[in-house]
């Protein structure tokens, strides 16, 4: 589990910094906007899915080394479906402007996806 702990030691501080950055930006610049999801719930969702994804990639890498890339693509699809399911209450809500909420969700989504992709490529290239 050594690679997982290295990933965890890297992603946790980055997540904490990004969380506080987004939290303070939303509090300073979006004073009049009430967000549907809290920053905390968005980051817990992204961090949980990213850790599950990388743990699954490590498992696939150890058992079926030649299928790691396919596992990454498959789990990325599941992650996208999870994001849609997470956003269904927002989509069905009566909020007039959903753009700030979607931005507050998808900016961290793509940042976490970048880190996950970076580590997945490193994992695939080691083989």
């Amino acid at each position: 589990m050594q690679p997982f702990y290295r990933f965890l030691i890297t992603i946790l501080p980055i997540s904490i910094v990004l969380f506080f950055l987004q939290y303070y930006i939303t509090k300073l610049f979006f004073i009049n906007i009430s967000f549907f999801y809290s920053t905390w719930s968005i980051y817990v969702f992204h961090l949980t899915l990213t850790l599950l994804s990388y743990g699954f990639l490590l498992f696939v890498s150890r058992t079926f080394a030649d299928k790691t890339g396919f596992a990454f693509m498959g789990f990325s699809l599941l992650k996208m479906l999870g994001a849609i399911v997470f956003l269904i209450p927002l989509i069905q809500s009566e909020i007039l402007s959903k753009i700030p909420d979607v931005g507050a969700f998808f900016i961290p989504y793509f940042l976490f996806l970048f880190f996950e992709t970076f580590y997945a490529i490193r994992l695939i290239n080691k083989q």
Side-chain angles (χ1 to χ4, degrees):
M1 245 355 180
Q2 186 75 357
F4 184 77
Y5 290 125
R6 266 187 264 132
F7 179 71
L8 188 63
I9 289 171
T10 305
I11 197 76
L12 274 179
I14 291 171
S15 299
I16 291 169
V17 168
L18 289 174
F19 166 76
F20 282 114
L21 184 67
Q22 182 172 344
Y23 180 79
Y24 286 117
I25 287 173
T26 56
K27 293 297 178 194
L28 289 175
F29 297 112
F30 298 99
I31 298 168
N32 298 330
I33 296 176
S34 176
F35 287 94
F36 189 80
Y37 292 111
S38 67
T39 307
W40 175 254
S41 63
I42 290 171
Y43 275 84
V44 166
F45 174 78
H46 288 308
L47 185 62
T48 303
L49 277 184
T50 301
L51 292 175
L52 284 173
S53 173
Y54 192 69
F56 179 70
L57 287 178
L58 286 173
F59 169 75
V60 170
S61 174
R62 287 193 184 121
T63 54
F64 309 105
D66 58 330
K67 306 291 187 221
T68 307
F70 293 116
F72 174 71
M73 290 190 306
F75 208 91
S76 293
L77 178 67
L78 290 176
K79 193 173 171 180
M80 286 181 227
L81 290 173
I84 292 170
V85 169
F86 185 81
L87 290 174
I88 284 177
L90 171 67
I91 295 167
Q92 294 177 342
S93 73
E94 299 296 323
I95 297 174
L96 296 176
S97 178
K98 297 174 179 149
I99 294 172
D101 283 300
V102 171
F105 179 82
F106 277 107
I107 290 171
Y109 176 85
F110 288 115
L111 290 172
F112 277 91
L113 183 63
F114 170 75
F115 293 121
E116 183 182 342
T117 304
F118 177 76
Y119 274 89
I121 290 171
R122 286 181 56 190
L123 185 65
I124 291 169
N125 285 339
K126 281 185 182 178
Q127 298 168 359

